[in-house]
Amino acid sequence: MSFNALPNLIIRNAHLVNEGHSQFCDVLIQQGRISKIQSSITGIHRAKEIEANGAWLLPGMIDDQVHFRDPGAPHKGTIASESAAATVGGITSFMDMPNTKPATLNLDALNAKKAIAARSSHGNYAFHFGVSADNLSIIEQLDPKLVSGVKVFMGSSTGNMLVDDPKALEFLFAHVPTILLTHCESSPIVTANEALYRAQYGENVPAHLHPMIRDEACCYASSKMAVELAKKYQTQLHVLHLTTAKELSLFENKPLHEKHITAEVCIHHLHFDAQDYGQLGHLIKCNPSIKSKTDRDALIKAVSSSDLLDIIGTDHAPHTWDEKQNSYFNAPAGLPLVQHALPALLELVAADQLRIEDMVSKTSHRVADLFKIKERGYIREGYWADLVLVEKNPWSVADQPIYMHCGWTPFQHKSFQYRVATTIVSGQIAWHNQQLYLNCRGHALEIDR
């Protein structure tokens, strides 16, 4: 269905939270865009209406890093399956990582992923470009409008995408034409720690030792190198998934527009800590690792009461249940998270650890600003209608089907205070009253650099 054929849609009596303020209002959506925001909208004929009954109306979450496994690993997930699950979790737009099969290391691979998304994505989409030791000349000449960012793995084994040669990193930081995203872990430190614990336990290293192998020193050394290189070359740097209190010292507490070095924290690093390995084991094995309660508390404080951490993402990375049951060195790292993104994050709001206005800023406004996404991330007249209605209605995760293709979630024994009632993607209803609308199709995000 074209946007011209879409009916008028009115959301009535919503508690709108946007740009640091809140108000009760009606919102009119026409041809995919927000047409009016008023205390009461009348005189609109043939309109579909959604009664919010005072529920929060938020700009949809823009997830700056997901691994939707498409192409190459359909047994774990696809753009179709994971984007649908994302709308259930309040995510209306996503940026997919390059470590697919084949990896997104050239324009042909990039265009192939865009084609998959164009025909199957239920959310709005963009793609990060990957870096290897062999494609630096392509990176240098890359059109920054074609990609949401360039991703480099500075120290985690990801096939041929690991780049830890100092000369290659110097070239990359000096010549990358757009925002550079880094996965920061020191390979030499990880390798030494693995050897230490392998000597003690063999292949059966206990899951709770994961944060001892991928430890604070491993993260700090790599993040420090990235920040120093970005300062040297004035690179627009975005450090992904911070996990330690110590790393926070590398970043500045400034408004986003005053920075060229920014940082992200992920929902699972705000929700879980090392005590959870006892119950969940490899189900919460991820890189970088979930660490101590002290680290978790420091991250929550930094994201809620300062501008040290700029963005909250998911790093959604699904694996099958069977794969996660393997021994330590064979159990893959990564968690399926998109279906429960906003409900899990809103637990911090319910606990008075995070203001709803700050959550909205760091899941929507700042993401759009940092990645230069045109006409999204805010509830403004004329902008695309990417919206989420969230109601306070306690529920158990076990009572909702798992829409992620892997069929499991680390939140399986959790209950949440808030429920996503409705998700609207580019003016189309994607999720409403516990029903997925699979005819919803997202748009390519327009990168306005």
Side-chain angles (χ1 to χ4, degrees), residues 240-426:
L240 297 169
H241 40 45
L242 248 65
T243 60
T244 72
K246 186 174 183 180
E247 287 172 285
L248 294 171
S249 65
L250 298 170
F251 301 93
E252 295 182 296
N253 185 10
K254 288 182 178 180
L256 184 68
H257 69 273
E258 296 180 14
K259 299 181 183 184
H260 71 93
I261 298 172
T262 55
E264 174 215 67
V265 65
C266 290
I267 290 170
H268 49 300
H269 295 121
L270 298 172
H271 192 92
F272 299 106
D273 62 50
Q275 300 175 57
D276 293 304
Y277 287 103
Q279 179 184 18
L280 295 172
H282 294 148
L283 295 182
I284 57 168
K285 180 186 178 184
C286 56
N287 299 336
S289 65
I290 291 166
K291 295 184 174 65
S292 70
K293 185 178 184 300
T294 299
D295 289 310
R296 175 194 170 204
D297 290 346
L299 295 172
I300 292 172
K301 182 177 180 181
V303 81
S304 63
S305 61
S306 76
D307 286 333
L308 284 171
L309 294 173
D310 302 280
I311 285 175
I312 304 171
T314 69
D315 195 17
H316 171 83
H319 300 283
T320 69
W321 177 268
D322 288 344
E323 288 170 333
K324 280 291 195 175
Q325 308 312 305
N326 287 326
S327 60
Y328 177 79
F329 291 103
N330 295 309
L335 285 66
L337 293 156
V338 290
Q339 184 174 332
H340 305 101
L342 282 185
L345 192 52
L346 283 161
E347 289 299 289
L348 295 178
V349 176
D352 294 324
Q353 293 180 291
L354 179 65
R355 293 173 63 245
I356 183 67
E357 294 85 357
D358 293 331
M359 188 206 79
V360 166
S361 176
K362 295 186 179 186
T363 57
S364 301
H365 303 336
R366 286 172 175 248
V367 193
D369 292 344
L370 180 62
F371 289 93
K372 308 297 183 187
I373 300 170
K374 186 176 180 180
E375 297 175 342
R376 299 189 190 271
Y378 293 84
I379 303 178
R380 292 174 176 169
E381 292 181 357
Y383 272 48
W384 287 104
D386 297 327
L387 304 169
V388 178
L389 269 175
V390 176
E391 59 187 12
K392 189 163 188 181
N393 183 5
W395 62 288
S396 172
V397 171
D399 292 337
Q400 185 183 74
I402 301 297
Y403 294 100
M404 299 175 291
H405 185 73
C406 66
W408 65 274
T409 170
F411 300 116
Q412 54 202 353
H413 301 302
K414 298 284 185 178
S415 294
F416 294 133
Q417 296 297 306
Y418 290 91
R419 181 191 294 272
V420 174
T422 302
T423 303
I424 296 171
V425 174
S426 294

Side-chain angles (χ1 to χ4, degrees), residues 10-290:
I10 300 176
I11 302 173
R12 294 211 180 272
N13 303 308
H15 185 181
L16 185 150
V17 180
N18 184 57
E19 300 187 65
H21 304 286
S22 63
Q23 60 177 311
F24 286 88
C25 62
D26 293 350
V27 175
L28 172 64
I29 299 166
Q30 294 179 304
Q31 296 182 330
R33 293 181 180 265
I34 299 166
S35 178
K36 289 183 182 180
I37 304 170
Q38 294 180 356
S39 58
S40 179
I41 294 174
T42 58
I44 305 298
H45 302 290
R46 297 171 61 188
K48 180 179 179 64
E49 296 194 6
I50 294 176
E51 175 56 57
N53 289 315
W56 277 330
L57 181 63
L58 316 176
M61 181 174 176
I62 305 173
D63 196 344
D64 72 329
Q65 67 158 331
V66 301
H67 302 262
F68 280 177
R69 307 302 188 197
D70 204 354
H75 65 292
K76 298 177 189 281
T78 64
I79 287 174
S81 66
E82 307 312 281
S83 64
T87 66
V88 180
I91 296 169
T92 54
S93 302
F94 63 87
M95 298 173 227
D96 189 61
M97 284 298 171
N99 54 325
T100 46
K101 296 178 182 179
T104 316
L105 298 174
N106 56 61
L107 293 181
D108 287 343
L110 174 66
N111 290 332
K113 288 179 77 170
K114 288 183 176 181
I116 294 170
R119 63 177 179 263
S120 67
S121 181
H122 303 288
N124 307 310
Y125 54 88
F127 297 96
H128 298 309
F129 205 76
V131 180
S132 72
D134 302 322
N135 78 334
L136 293 176
S137 61
I138 298 175
I139 298 295
E140 184 181 12
Q141 300 174 38
L142 190 65
D143 182 347
K145 292 182 180 292
L146 293 179
V147 297
S148 43
V150 170
K151 166 72 177 294
V152 59
F153 291 86
M154 289 181 61
S156 181
S157 180
T158 337
N160 65 339
M161 292 186 65
L162 172 61
V163 180
D164 55 3
D165 176 72
K167 289 184 179 179
L169 287 172
E170 290 264 354
F171 183 91
L172 176 64
F173 276 77
H175 295 95
V176 64
T178 185
I179 186 169
L180 181 64
L181 295 78
T182 54
H183 177 130
C184 290
E185 292 182 287
S186 167
S187 291
I189 294 175
V190 172
T191 300
N193 289 340
E194 285 179 340
L196 178 68
Y197 287 102
R198 193 191 294 268
Q200 185 174 356
Y201 293 98
E203 294 299 308
N204 297 313
V205 173
H208 73 269
L209 294 178
H210 188 55
M212 304 297 106
I213 292 174
R214 292 179 179 264
D215 61 7
E216 176 191 83
C218 134
C219 294
Y220 182 80
S222 186
S223 293
K224 183 172 183 289
M225 177 189 293
V227 169
E228 288 174 347
L229 284 169
K231 288 180 177 179
K232 180 177 180 180
Y233 293 106
Q234 288 299 296
T235 316
Q236 183 71 52
L237 172 69
H238 185 51
V239 180
L240 297 169
H241 40 45
L242 248 65
T243 60
T244 72
K246 186 174 183 180
E247 287 172 285
L248 294 171
S249 65
L250 298 170
F251 301 93
E252 295 182 296
N253 185 10
K254 288 182 178 180
L256 184 68
H257 69 273
E258 296 180 14
K259 299 181 183 184
H260 71 93
I261 298 172
T262 55
E264 174 215 67
V265 65
C266 290
I267 290 170
H268 49 300
H269 295 121
L270 298 172
H271 192 92
F272 299 106
D273 62 50
Q275 300 175 57
D276 293 304
Y277 287 103
Q279 179 184 18
L280 295 172
H282 294 148
L283 295 182
I284 57 168
K285 180 186 178 184
C286 56
N287 299 336
S289 65
I290 291 166

